[in-house]
Amino acid sequence: MDSGDELRAKFMEFPYVSGSQRNLMVELLSSVDSRLGSSLQPCTLPPDVQHFENPTGSARASLHLRSGLPSSQIDFILGGWIHCELPSGGALNITSLSAYLKPSTDAPHFLLELIQSSPTSLVLILDLTPRKDLILYSDYLKTYYEDTNLDKHRQRLQTLPQVKPYLSPSLYIRAVVSPTAILVCIDTEDDETTNVEDIIRDHVGPIAKELLQFWIESCACLERRVGEAERDYLAERDRIIKTKTIEVDLGSSFPRLFGQEVADRVLDVLKEYYSK
Amino acid sequence: MDSGDELRAKFMEFPYVSGSQRNLMVELLSSVDSRLGSSLQPCTLPPDVQHFENPTGSARASLHLRSGLPSSQIDFILGGWIHCELPSGGALNITSLSAYLKPSTDAPHFLLELIQSSPTSLVLILDLTPRKDLILYSDYLKTYYEDTNLDKHRQRLQTLPQVKPYLSPSLYIRAVVSPTAILVCIDTEDDETTNVEDIIRDHVGPIAKELLQFWIESCACLERRVGEAERDYLAERDRIIKTKTIEVDLGSSFPRLFGQEVADRVLDVLKEYYSK
């Protein structure tokens, strides 16, 4: 069986995506390691959940999950990649990084997903997910989204002609993200001078790194005073967010990509972490 | 002084907008009258709040507000139009219809706004505004937005090449609308065969009428059992929605359009209705 270090090295290879996407993911995960590593446990996922594939080998994936130490505000951080050959001849490649905080703080969670289903098209989801109802808690909207001018990242990206708004088919996903969420489709099919790889390197990368930096310093590392009743509220709302994320995102795609048996094995383990 | 009937007739003229926009507004208000009229009081706004203009006469507006009777689930229904000559030579025309329910039901509010700042460009906001946090109350999302397939209206409109997503500059507005909200900009500048008037008549109109019909039958007229604690929650969340709507929407534009004195007179009266 592979050792923890070997499994982590295999995860960090991101073997199926372009150079700029791989570099971005490695840089983001290195930032997490260097700034938050001392607050995190090593990955405790079973080896066959850290790497798995479907029976025919046409779909492969790697997951790396690190829980926060008891003293940390971090619940867990999950990185992953999925590669799946498509019947049409191309491939679907997803790389993601999500980070959840504990109810000891009300600061937003972090979410990044890069979904590439063709060489000329990329869906980008990048957000600091709110932990509270932004209507009932208007201070929260002000503190994390208005006063920080968080919308500037989306505005910057939206100036590119290849970038179009992306609307998730899931109403739950539309409802859970923040009003400054970056949900875009980057399409370079009609563009002979710029490709998706360039746009990741020159535009998506700098924005993702800046947002992760902000999340690390102002959300994960900054202590917030949260009262008892508020903790219960956050814990319950987070429980729903995590249950729904498994159900809507992974639960619907994993059986299709990896077959029911592999999907069940992986999802059962993930559910334990998501429901802690 | 004008009588109530004369004031209402002046309001219903919608004198500055295109035929198709006027017809649509008159049809929507007639539906409200015929189906809900017996549950509503006559308009009790002072005459100088039902019609007003700025000192130079370059900006005019009309408002018509009817409160629900004590036995009704309707809090109040507000229709309005604003016309403002622009320094550039054109004009800004807004027509709107919003309808708020009481905390005796948790069904969504209704919101329609048509904002035309040039003959070739229209912003449309059409939504059933949720009364509850859609994450904490996932049943609510299912009942009013998923099971009803409410997204089909947005999908239908989005197939037109002249229709582009519209993102409000206000993060509060982005947060308060539902995940099926229609927030679009209709632009016909590069189109020689179709104009905004056609699109209102053939596409916006049928959708707005269908959505209002749904709201009247399934929200305003259907009784829901709401417990005591839930009523308090709805009352508090509605109070914030109504305060913010005055602040973000009318409070920021009225002084600019009508001067501080007229704006204060109108807003002071509206605030009474919005804070009841």
Side-chain angles (χ1 to χ4, degrees), chain A residues 133-136 138 141 145-146 151 154 165 167 171-172 174-176 179-180 233 236-237 240-241 244, chain B residues 133-136 138 141 145-146 151 154 165 167 171-172 174-176 179-180 233 236-237 240-241 244:
Chain A
D133 174 14
L134 298 178
I135 303 308
L136 216 42
S138 45
L141 180 67
Y145 301 96
E146 289 175 345
D151 202 38
R154 194 198 51 74
L167 203 65
L171 300 190
Y172 163 75
R174 294 186 206 168
V176 79
T180 61
Y233 168 83
E236 173 60 9
R237 207 170 179 282
I240 297 169
I241 290 177
K244 276 277 183 184
Chain B
D133 175 15
L134 298 177
I135 303 310
L136 215 44
S138 46
L141 180 67
Y145 301 96
E146 289 175 346
D151 203 37
R154 193 198 52 73
L167 203 64
L171 300 189
Y172 162 76
R174 293 187 207 168
V176 79
T180 61
Y233 168 84
E236 173 60 9
R237 206 170 178 281
I240 296 170
I241 290 178
K244 276 275 184 188

Side-chain angles (χ1 to χ4, degrees), chain B residues 2 18-19 32 173 195 216:
Chain B
D2 293 327
S18 71
V32 167
I173 300 284
N195 59 36
I216 289 174

Side-chain angles (χ1 to χ4, degrees), chain B residues 10-11 13-19 21-22 51-53 57-62 81-85 91-95 116:
Chain B
K10 272 176 78 179
F11 160 68
E13 280 174 10
F14 293 95
Y16 297 99
V17 296
S18 71
Q21 187 165 344
R22 182 183 314 122
H51 289 283
F52 53 94
E53 54 185 62
S58 64
R60 295 165 191 271
S62 185
W81 57 257
I82 293 173
H83 166 76
C84 175
E85 292 167 20
L92 169 73
N93 281 298
I94 301 173
T95 62
Q116 188 152 20

Side-chain angles (χ1 to χ4, degrees), chain A residues 156-171:
Chain A
R156 237 165 83 194
L157 203 60
Q158 205 80 55
T159 59
L160 298 176
Q162 302 89 351
V163 170
K164 299 273 175 292
Y166 168 77
L167 203 65
S168 168
S170 156
L171 300 190

